[in-house]
Amino acid sequence: MSELAEPAAAVEQFDCPTCSAPAGSTCRTRGGKVAPKYHTPRFMLVPQLRAELEVRTPADRGPSRAWEMGPAIDAAAPEAATKPTRVGYARCSTAQQELQSQLDALDEAGCDPVFSEKISTRIKVRPEFTKAMDFARTIKKAVPHQRVIFTVHEMKRLGRGAAELLTIAEDLRHHDIELELLTGPLKGVYDPSGHGAALFAFFAGMAESEREYIREKSQPAVSYAVTHQVFLGANAPRRSSSPRGGTRESHSPRYRRRDPDPFPSAHSHGTELCGAKPRAHQQCSHGHSGWTGNTPRSGDAA
């Protein structure tokens, strides 16, 4: 959080690029009322507030009341911060994967703020990534001469597909935002334009090739599992109660085998039908086991 004693006073030293409110006045809404918070491009003109997500309008300024121009003052000229603004982004694909090491590395690199999420790159819309990019663009728009760096732990945290990575690189180039990779072949800070864009595309192709290689290596195992009915997770055989008092294995309906009845109505000794009636999983007097049912067949011993 900011260490400024009066953030509102610091913000109101500048004209608002969004609503055109002059210095000395609060921001205003399109309906002509005092905005409940200062517009982002305006409060980012204050170097100490560039890491904040919002700056609320103080209660004594009358939020939601009819807007009135405040005392006129000379607007301050925006100044670039003494060091670049680093916007960090951390991502892993699943909830089981560890994310703290990326966050520690981004914090050590001086990133503030840091956006993070657990989401696969196969999902087209990544909310926290969108927020991070919007934040970096907003800073650059508010203070064009401010150096803004978008920082990630490694290239694949941005994306894996060549087309997606090239789109991100073009977006960064268009807004004059630098990209920083903390590890990997492209470790360092660079501007994704010119030779940098070509190098970025080269490693994007390598990442896509690696993903395809992993897919090809895993496909034989998947085919073997389907052919030999080796199942894991939801398709694994599971023990269920039998209506006849025993237990038996069942499979997912999609892969269920047509096995013979595991509980036949009687068992035999060669061609002779045994008339004994042992209960399930118990042996008869002849030493055989099985399910005989509750109703004796015709010809069976009483």
Side-chain angles (χ1 to χ4, degrees):
M1 296 296 294
S2 170
E3 297 180 356
L4 291 175
E6 296 184 5
V11 174
E12 292 178 5
Q13 292 178 358
F14 302 92
D15 296 333
C16 181
T18 301
C19 65
S20 300
S25 302
T26 60
C27 289
R28 56 188 170 187
T29 65
R30 293 181 180 180
K33 296 184 178 181
V34 177
K37 57 185 179 181
Y38 293 96
H39 292 112
T40 303
R42 188 181 190 183
F43 74 73
M44 284 189 177
L45 297 174
V46 182
Q48 297 90 335
L49 299 176
R50 288 174 185 169
E52 302 297 327
L53 298 180
E54 64 178 27
V55 176
R56 308 292 299 184
T57 303
D60 59 0
R61 302 300 204 270
S64 301
R65 298 178 184 175
W67 182 86
E68 295 181 0
M69 184 180 296
I73 62 174
D74 295 332
E79 296 182 0
T82 56
K83 60 181 181 179
T85 299
R86 279 182 163 83
V87 180
Y89 174 70
R91 182 198 64 80
C92 61
S93 297
T94 64
Q96 290 74 23
Q97 292 180 334
E98 179 268 335
L99 193 62
Q100 190 58 44
S101 59
Q102 295 184 49
L103 298 176
D104 293 340
L106 293 172
D107 182 68
E108 185 177 353
C111 297
D112 190 13
V114 174
F115 300 83
S116 63
E117 59 188 341
K118 294 188 176 184
I119 190 171
S120 172
T121 53
R122 294 182 180 180
I123 299 177
K124 294 183 179 180
V125 179
R126 290 176 280 163
E128 292 302 314
F129 176 74
T130 302
K131 292 179 182 179
M133 290 292 291
D134 289 344
F135 190 89
R137 295 190 202 100
T138 302
I139 294 178
K140 198 64 182 178
K141 181 179 179 180
V143 192
H145 49 278
Q146 170 65 28
R147 187 183 177 196
V148 180
I149 303 176
F150 194 88
T151 305
V152 293
H153 187 258
E154 53 187 335
M155 183 180 60
K156 66 182 181 181
R157 301 308 166 190
L158 288 175
R160 291 182 180 270
E164 181 183 13
L165 289 171
L166 288 176
T167 300
I168 295 173
E170 176 59 24
D171 192 0
L172 295 173
R173 185 201 64 78
H174 178 72
H175 292 90
D176 195 24
I177 300 172
E178 299 178 50
L179 176 66
E180 180 178 24
L181 303 176
L182 300 181
T183 60
L186 288 177
K187 179 180 179 181
V189 182
Y190 75 102
D191 183 359
S193 61
H195 296 291
L199 192 61
F200 191 90
F202 171 73
F203 281 103
M206 289 184 60
E208 189 170 22
S209 298
E210 180 183 4
R211 190 176 183 86
E212 184 64 26
Y213 174 76
I214 295 174
R215 186 183 298 110
E216 291 178 356
K217 292 291 288 183
S218 61
Q219 188 58 40
V222 174
S223 300
Y224 178 88
V226 173
T227 302
H228 296 79
Q229 297 190 0
V230 178
F231 307 109
L232 296 175
N235 291 330
R238 45 188 188 274
R239 303 291 293 181
S240 61
S241 298
S242 169
R244 299 181 177 179
T247 58
R248 58 180 175 180
E249 288 187 350
S250 62
H251 296 262
S252 171
R254 183 179 177 184
Y255 301 103
R256 182 175 296 157
R257 290 180 176 179
R258 290 191 172 183
D259 293 332
D261 186 0
F263 305 108
S265 59
H267 58 275
S268 61
H269 307 275
T271 58
E272 294 287 332
L273 184 65
C274 178
K277 298 186 295 182
R279 293 188 178 275
H281 307 296
Q282 293 182 355
Q283 290 186 347
C284 67
S285 59
H286 300 279
H288 296 84
S289 62
W291 181 272
T292 61
N294 295 323
T295 304
R297 295 190 178 186
S298 60
D300 290 353

